[in-house]
Amino acid sequence: MTELQEPGSELLGQQHPSLPVVRVGEATLPTTSGTFRAVAYRQADGVEHLALLTGEVGDGHDVLVRMHSECMTGDVLGSLRCDCGPQLHAALDAISAEGRGIVLYLRGQEGRGIGLAEKIAAYALQEQGRDTVEANLDLGLPVDARDYTGAVAVLRDLGVRDVELMTHNPVKVEALQAHGVPVVRRRDLPVAPTSDNLRYLRTKRDRMGHRLPGVG
């Protein structure tokens, strides 16, 4: 775990006006990682998110949180081109073991926000030698188009006041703190390098500032 300082003045990424969310459903969800309380939300623009909770948020302080961007190829199909699936399951295991925490599954963020079809088009360029940053730019797309205002609204609705964030990505830390949710600590997730994703992980580390000490 890494202690974090107070948020700095420099913010990575464009911030947008807050999107309200509506809680639309809640149920018990037994999984291979444990049994969670699943709370479904819908943004005003129709995008849906799912919060998976274990334990009680209580006073809202120091809540273990993972903000996980939807990845059909990694989470559902088991793609080895990214480490998204292993990160999701590691996060679920971690909060289940901790007995208190939230995995927030964020829809509409496929391919760092560019969408599924565009992600496959970017994969094709990567097969021709481009890295994940270059491929997006070649397609006229942003390197990272994700927005976390909906995620912040969900955390606030659940009573979260500050978090221990499971992430390798400094932009997620910056985004939460810019929206008034302090990140008191950051926790590494296990890294799962393979021959298929090693270049991708190195690009995230070297070009996007991700903390990936397990990547050679």
Side-chain angles (χ1 to χ4, degrees):
M1 293 181 288
T2 302
E3 294 290 340
L4 294 174
Q5 305 300 316
E6 289 298 314
S9 59
E10 182 179 2
L11 175 64
L12 299 177
Q14 180 69 32
Q15 297 300 303
H16 302 282
S18 181
L19 292 172
V21 295
V22 176
R23 188 186 294 209
V24 296
E26 182 175 335
T28 301
L29 186 67
T31 77
T32 55
S33 296
T35 299
F36 299 91
R37 180 162 60 101
V39 185
Y41 289 86
R42 184 176 295 120
Q43 292 182 173
D45 58 3
V47 174
E48 296 173 337
H49 305 303
L50 185 67
L52 297 170
L53 297 85
T54 190
E56 298 296 330
V57 171
D59 63 6
H61 288 297
D62 205 15
V63 180
L64 183 61
V65 170
R66 164 70 180 168
M67 297 196 307
H68 188 86
S69 298
E70 175 184 26
C71 178
M72 178 180 286
T73 53
D75 299 340
V76 178
L77 301 177
S79 170
L80 300 178
R81 296 188 69 141
C82 66
D83 59 341
C84 300
Q87 285 192 57
L88 173 61
H89 291 287
L92 290 170
D93 289 345
I95 70 163
S96 183
E98 193 91 1
R100 178 177 183 256
I102 301 168
V103 171
L104 184 51
Y105 196 85
L106 302 172
R107 303 290 308 279
Q109 295 199 353
E110 187 81 41
R112 298 195 302 274
I114 65 173
L116 180 60
E118 288 78 6
K119 181 167 78 171
I120 298 302
Y123 278 175
L125 291 176
Q126 291 170 43
E127 290 171 357
Q128 297 171 26
R130 307 298 277 168
D131 67 27
T132 183
V133 170
E134 295 163 344
N136 280 30
L137 295 176
D138 287 352
L139 291 169
L141 300 169
V143 174
D144 192 336
R146 288 174 291 184
D147 177 75
Y148 299 104
T149 50
V152 170
V154 169
L155 292 175
R156 285 177 174 157
D157 180 70
L158 294 171
V160 174
R161 301 180 66 180
D162 54 60
V163 305
E164 177 183 351
L165 190 65
M166 290 185 280
T167 188
H168 301 132
N169 186 353
V171 173
K172 290 183 179 180
V173 175
E174 295 274 358
L176 281 184
Q177 297 193 143
H179 283 291
V181 180
V183 178
V184 295
R185 281 182 304 281
R186 188 193 56 76
R187 182 184 296 195
D188 287 330
L189 285 165
V191 181
T194 69
S195 59
D196 296 290
N197 69 20
L198 185 56
R199 187 185 184 207
Y200 165 77
L201 293 173
R202 285 173 172 165
T203 300
K204 289 206 299 183
R205 179 193 64 191
D206 299 340
R207 302 195 63 181
M208 303 176 71
H210 288 219
R211 177 183 164 84
L212 294 167
V215 175

